[in-house]
Amino acid sequence: MTATYELTNLRALEAEAVHVFREVAADFERPVLLFSGGKDSVVMLHVAAKAFWPAPLPFPVMHVDTGHNLDEVIAFRDATVERMGVRLIVARVQDDIDAGRAVEEAGPRASRNRLQSVTLLRAIAGNRFDAVFGGARRDEDKARAKERVYSFRDEFGQWDPRNQRPELWNLYNGDHRRGEHIRVFPLSNWTELDIWQYVLEEAIEIPPLYFSHRRRVFERDGMLLAVSPYVTLAEGEEPFEASVRFRTVGDATCTGCVESAAATPEQVVAEVAASRMTERGATRADDRISEAGMEDRKKEGYF
Amino acid sequence: MPELLRLATAGSVDDGKSTLIGRLLYDSKSIFVDQLEAVERTSRERGDSQTNLALLTDGLRAEREQGITIDVAYRYFATPRRKFIIADTPGHIQYTRNMVTGASTADLALVLIDARNGVLEQSRRHAFIATLLGIPHLVVCVNKMDLVDWSQERFEEIRDEFRRFAMKLEVHDVTFLPISALHGDNVVQRSANSPWYEGTPLLHHLEEVHIASDRNLIDTRFPVQYVIRPQSGTDADLHDYRGYAGTVAGGVIKAGDEVVVLPSGFTSRIEEVRGPGGEPLEEAFPPQAISLTLTDHLDIARGDMICRPHNRPLVGQDVDAMVCWFSDQSPLTVGARYRLRHTTRSVMAKAEHLDYRLNVNTLHRDGSAGSLTLNEIGRVRLRAQTPLMFDPYRRNRATGSFIVIDPATNDTVGAGMIVGAEQANLTNVVWHANAVERRQRPTQGLTVWLTGLSGSGKSTVAVEVERRLVAAGRPAYLLDGDNLRHGLNADLGFSAADRGENVRRVGEVARLFADAGVVAVVSLVSPYRADRARVRAMHEEAGLRFVEVFVDTPLDVCEARDPKGMYARARAGEITGFTGVDDPYEPPEQPDLVLRPGHGSPSAMADWVLLHLEGPGDGPAAPPPEDTGAAGP
């Protein structure tokens, strides 16, 4: 590799992300990294830790907990922060519901996904965070495809897609006033396949949900959703057991799984490389709300 | 393992740009079923007659509603050889800032030309922006070839026209492809419709184009981004650890290298180089993100630059830069203060002077402009509050670029590319001993460049022009090609390379004379267009006027005159490579002035030249009417 001074795709993406982490650490007073236990946030945390070696991570991580997570995810989250010795802040959607700041949706399709924005913004303001790392990737969604690595949020936490700061070279403008903040997406240029290849190459531990396992599921809107206490089955929805894995991990109410026999990172890489469906199209009910579903939620302050 | 290639595209739906991207993604199996279904569904709802692949890239609600692309969209696809990041930007002039943004990190630019329309203003603008932003590779796709019956002649016509334009630009690698994005010809697969096309299809070219040598591996530059200090109380080894973290901006860095830290000037040696996570590296190169330790304990902070003692960047508070303005709120104005982000520094700076504003369509320079508004590009001198450590952008994109921030709004309002060292040097210490600015000189110089065949009468006209200028009290000096070959260029022959060097030297001398306030009157065959274009560029870079006069005397007339008997000797085969006989003369495409025999005597022609010199000097003048030499002033 060094003889020709060429970097592989993964090393180039890693270098870009490391640059962003260091830039933020040098330029902001109170950064925080959003950590859900999903694969993107796990990879993000892994790269962040590498950026500051041998020093510990110079910022805490935060989980916005809908209270509707699959148990395995919470267990994995706690084990990971313990192992890495980072400080975890948990911001609970339930607290906002209890305080009347957020109103729970009703019906069988009720989801707390959208309510997370309220909790996230409250936690950012309450902790006076000025930079918030997210694991979003531009290949996930059309609206994300236009988002900057440094994405400015006004004092209301809102994103204005028509008025984004131009972003050139690797020169990032994080300047902001008190009360405003910057969402930072170090993995912007990674694809789902890049994530998995990196997981494989770096031997990163990923929640078991991402690998093939037997689970009770039911079909809704052409997707498989896990049977869980947080989901009410509608009429005609029959649970059955299948070999599945999750391609994304979010709120249990809206994250689907796919039938899969991929049980190792190698097998997942092969499966993702051959897949003809995006991970969100395959598994995220929340993105099916409308053509501009993601854009609208992002404007409200979503991840 | 695959490498990463970043490419920039610009254009509107009409060019077939979205179709081409859709085709690349589709044929390389990078469009997903659900994305395609969503696009098909939306196309139906909108009443489009066919699946509108533009919807794949137009992600924002406003874009879909208005049917336009308003922002940079990033698209990803991969083949076993490479992963590609496409920065897809709108092509209209009002989105110049988006184009500049998308081009800033690109290795390669795709320019689309509709085969029916040929090289339009928009294609020229895209090519110019690509070269301004230093994109090393340009790929020109002549699209919709099916609509011109796959005419090889049409393709070559467009190719030649584009090449003529590209000669004015700083671009070294241009590739032309005949394609039909709609039908997929020559996109992923070779097309049977173009048997005359010997190149590879587009995707293959994108996979193979050599980008590794585009980076600067010569000039070691390491802007310190962050200092890693574990200050561990438990691990004694780490207690005094100081790692200087950053992204390599140039050169190759390895343990043992002797280095100097700027601006302090302290020297030390590199102790070790590590990658992310502490991976030991033998060598590090751009764009690796690394950390390094030094053998000495120095006071080093973010914003410092580590380099080699004998290869340092320029250091100075004054920079000349091409600036593209992004703000629709407030224009760049002389005297205004901004915050610059350059490498890992953030400094206040003042716009000192606006040299000119550039018309991105015609490349015309407007020296009277007082400001830069949204999407405008101009050459600006900035004075920074503290010294910057920089290289010309052309030499190093990482140390030659900066962004401009409006301190009142915190918005990014501009992007700058620092121009050549010689210009930057005009204001830094090396040249500051020369405290006279050009406008302080008693006279202002320029270069009049007469080109034409041997025997065309250039020298006779040039002698007359010089004589009259001096008689009028204007310092002028004749640089005659033949005469200079006795001294300055005595070591040169008549090969294409030597002719090129001959023109370059004469051009440099003319530029110095002009800079000194003298009118340099050059009489030189200078047969090749590219050589002359370079001389023009060096003048324009230096802010000097360059007047190209084409003495357009037909070959048979020159040959009949044959004042030095050279044509006779060339025809007899005694000399070879003689311009007009067995070596080509490439006439100027847009000369400032054309002189033909019908314009009268050498004296009358000199009148026309002088008259033209008194003009405003912007753009080509209409050639004088022929056969009316007596009507001269």
Side-chain angles (χ1 to χ4, degrees), chain B residues 212-458:
Chain B
S213 53
D214 296 338
R215 290 158 303 155
N216 183 327
L217 297 171
I218 307 292
D219 310 312
T220 297
R221 302 284 184 267
F222 185 72
V224 176
Q225 187 185 16
Y226 184 84
V227 182
I228 298 176
R229 300 191 63 182
Q231 292 176 302
S232 170
T234 51
D235 189 339
D237 283 350
L238 291 181
H239 188 75
D240 293 325
Y241 182 93
R242 272 172 161 247
Y244 303 107
T247 299
V248 183
V252 176
I253 298 174
K254 56 186 184 301
D257 283 351
E258 193 184 334
V259 292
V260 61
V261 182
L262 298 176
S264 70
F266 290 126
T267 56
S268 183
R269 259 176 213 288
I270 292 179
E271 185 179 57
E272 58 175 25
V273 182
R274 289 181 182 268
E279 180 200 359
L281 298 177
E282 267 178 45
E283 296 179 300
F285 51 90
Q288 282 185 302
I290 60 163
S291 65
L292 49 86
T293 52
L294 301 179
T295 51
D296 304 274
H297 280 278
L298 301 177
D299 182 20
I300 298 175
R302 173 176 166 89
D304 289 354
M305 174 85 81
I306 294 176
C307 57
R308 304 297 301 273
H310 300 296
N311 181 342
R312 303 180 183 210
L314 298 159
V315 180
Q317 282 172 265
D318 299 284
V319 293
D320 276 349
M322 297 301 296
V323 172
C324 179
W325 203 247
F326 296 156
S327 172
D328 53 2
Q329 309 290 322
S330 62
L332 176 141
T333 47
V334 172
R337 282 158 205 279
Y338 302 99
R339 199 155 49 228
L340 303 188
R341 276 184 183 258
H342 170 257
T343 63
T344 53
R345 295 199 145 206
S346 178
V347 299
M348 288 303 294
K350 194 167 81 171
E352 286 275 336
H353 183 67
L354 176 60
D355 287 353
Y356 57 81
R357 179 173 61 202
L358 196 70
N359 180 319
V360 290
N361 293 325
T362 62
L363 305 189
H364 169 63
R365 293 154 193 229
D366 178 2
S368 64
S371 66
L372 291 180
T373 59
L374 174 65
N375 292 316
E376 290 186 333
I377 295 173
R379 187 165 145 162
V380 181
R381 180 174 307 161
L382 293 146
R383 182 167 179 84
Q385 196 180 12
T386 54
L388 298 174
M389 290 153 284
F390 61 95
D391 294 286
Y393 184 76
R394 211 181 301 162
R395 184 138 182 104
N396 191 321
R397 284 166 98 177
T399 55
S401 56
F402 59 85
I403 57 171
V404 185
I405 296 166
D406 182 343
T409 62
N410 289 329
D411 283 337
T412 303
V413 291
M417 288 137 284
I418 299 171
V419 296
E422 48 206 314
Q423 285 73 41
N425 272 342
L426 287 176
T427 54
N428 84 6
V429 280
V430 180
W431 281 48
H432 225 290
N434 185 348
V436 182
E437 286 194 48
R438 189 178 295 142
R439 56 179 164 270
Q440 296 170 311
R441 295 187 189 280
T443 58
Q444 301 299 300
L446 65 113
T447 293
V448 183
W449 189 280
L450 293 100
T451 170
L453 293 167
S454 178
S456 61
K458 317 180 283 299

Side-chain angles (χ1 to χ4, degrees), chain A residues 148-193:
Chain A
R148 307 295 188 253
V149 174
Y150 271 38
S151 188
F152 176 79
R153 292 301 191 286
D154 64 19
E155 58 186 313
F156 303 102
Q158 310 257 310
W159 180 57
D160 180 0
R162 302 277 328 238
N163 192 23
Q164 301 194 78
R165 293 175 177 174
E167 203 158 74
L168 298 99
W169 301 291
N170 62 1
L171 298 172
Y172 299 103
N173 174 5
D175 295 349
H176 62 279
R177 297 192 190 90
R178 179 179 286 272
E180 300 167 340
H181 72 276
I182 309 282
R183 299 284 173 89
V184 183
F185 303 108
L187 307 184
S188 284
N189 286 323
W190 298 48
T191 62
E192 185 188 12
L193 185 58

Side-chain angles (χ1 to χ4, degrees), chain A residues 1-2 4-10 12-16 18-19 22-23 25-27 50-56 58 138-139 142-143 145-146 148 159 161-162 164-177 188-191 194 201 275-278 281-282 291-292 295-296, chain B residues 1-4 6 29 31-35 42 55 57 59-64 66 70-74 76 83 85 100-101 104-105 133 212 215 225-226 228 238 241 245-247 274 276-278 283 285 287-290 302 326 339 341 343 393 401-402 405 408 410-412 415-416:
Chain A
M1 183 181 80
T2 45
T4 53
Y5 303 116
E6 281 171 41
L7 279 186
T8 65
N9 169 44
L10 290 183
L13 292 172
E14 182 190 60
E16 185 179 84
V18 165
H19 179 88
R22 289 169 173 171
E23 197 64 16
D27 215 27
K50 290 183 80 172
F52 300 101
W53 180 95
R138 285 176 181 148
D139 79 323
K142 288 190 297 253
K146 311 236 159 169
R148 307 295 188 253
W159 180 57
R162 302 277 328 238
Q164 301 194 78
R165 293 175 177 174
E167 203 158 74
L168 298 99
W169 301 291
N170 62 1
L171 298 172
Y172 299 103
N173 174 5
D175 295 349
H176 62 279
R177 297 192 190 90
S188 284
N189 286 323
W190 298 48
T191 62
D194 294 326
E201 206 171 291
S275 173
R276 303 294 284 130
M277 290 280 273
T278 65
E291 180 72 10
E295 183 180 344
D296 291 344
Chain B
M1 284 299 284
E3 323 168 89
L4 186 59
R6 295 170 199 260
K29 303 199 185 345
I31 288 183
F32 294 95
V33 174
D34 52 312
Q35 288 175 325
T42 309
L55 295 170
T57 51
L60 298 177
R61 183 192 289 274
E63 294 177 323
R64 282 191 301 276
Q66 296 167 33
I70 54 176
D71 205 341
V72 188
Y74 295 91
Y76 304 85
K83 175 184 167 179
I85 301 180
V100 167
T101 300
S104 71
T105 52
L133 271 291
R215 290 158 303 155
Q225 187 185 16
Y226 184 84
I228 298 176
L238 291 181
Y241 182 93
T247 299
R274 289 181 182 268
E283 296 179 300
F285 51 90
Q288 282 185 302
I290 60 163
R302 173 176 166 89
F326 296 156
R339 199 155 49 228
R341 276 184 183 258
T343 63
Y393 184 76
S401 56
F402 59 85
I405 296 166
N410 289 329
D411 283 337
T412 303

Side-chain angles (χ1 to χ4, degrees), chain B residues 109-120:
Chain B
L110 275 186
V111 174
L112 265 99
I113 294 178
D114 186 325
R116 296 168 304 174
N117 303 331
V119 183
L120 298 180

